[in-house]
Amino acid sequence: MFPHRMLVVALLLAASSCYATDNKQPDMTAADFSAQKALFVQQLDDGKTYSEITPESRKNVVEMLDRMDARVQKAGSVDRMNDQDRVAFFNDQEAVNVLLTKAKADSRVICTRDTPTGTHHVVTNCQTLAQRRSNEESARREMNKISINGVPNL
């Protein structure tokens, strides 16, 4: 019975050592980053993936990607960067992630099926999340104008 327990303990130790890895990210080389940058720029230009990104945000993303690329090209890889460049690289990376995540979320298409008043026909309306927000804000402004100025002449 004792050898059986030793075998179970040995197996458990071996299994746990398989999961005990350091959380170090794999090194990104200059070539890896250039390929990733090209993919992001292509997605920014395709008009679909990040369709709701503002021109100013798009410009900022491209500038940050260019700075990141220059840093990684100078060092050869992220692991070989000095501490100052590495911090600046990761700060730019975080800013790019925030801008692109928001743009992608705003580009999500939402469809609703509505029945206009006076008909039995169902109509499908599809808009991006950003368009829906814009329409809601526009309607809110119009309602505020009416409440401040009174009922408009029809």
Side-chain angles (χ1 to χ4, degrees), residues 96-113:
V96 167
N97 288 343
V98 167
L99 289 171
L100 293 182
T101 300
K102 182 177 180 346
K104 191 163 187 167
D106 286 348
S107 298
R108 185 172 52 116
V109 176
I110 299 171
C111 295
T112 58
R113 295 179 47 83

Side-chain angles (χ1 to χ4, degrees), residues 31-51:
D32 295 336
F33 184 79
S34 292
Q36 193 70 32
K37 176 187 167 192
L39 176 65
F40 280 129
V41 171
Q42 177 189 358
Q43 289 176 340
L44 284 167
D45 292 339
D46 72 7
K48 296 177 186 172
T49 309
Y50 300 105
S51 63

Side-chain angles (χ1 to χ4, degrees), residues 53-71:
I53 194 167
T54 65
E56 182 181 340
S57 292
R58 184 192 184 290
K59 180 179 168 251
N60 289 342
V61 166
V62 171
E63 286 173 358
M64 286 184 275
L65 288 172
D66 288 343
R67 283 196 308 260
M68 293 167 68
D69 193 27
R71 284 185 182 99

Side-chain angles (χ1 to χ4, degrees), residues 63-127:
E63 286 173 358
M64 286 184 275
L65 288 172
D66 288 343
R67 283 196 308 260
M68 293 167 68
D69 193 27
R71 284 185 182 99
V72 77
Q73 294 295 332
K74 182 175 89 173
S77 75
V78 174
D79 279 352
R80 287 188 235 139
M81 285 182 191
N82 64 40
D83 289 340
Q84 183 179 359
D85 283 345
R86 187 176 296 142
V87 167
F89 180 89
F90 287 125
N91 286 341
D92 281 345
Q93 181 184 21
E94 181 63 25
V96 167
N97 288 343
V98 167
L99 289 171
L100 293 182
T101 300
K102 182 177 180 346
K104 191 163 187 167
D106 286 348
S107 298
R108 185 172 52 116
V109 176
I110 299 171
C111 295
T112 58
R113 295 179 47 83
D114 303 316
T115 306
T117 304
T119 70
H120 294 289
H121 300 284
V122 176
V123 178
T124 302
N125 294 314
C126 295
Q127 298 175 323

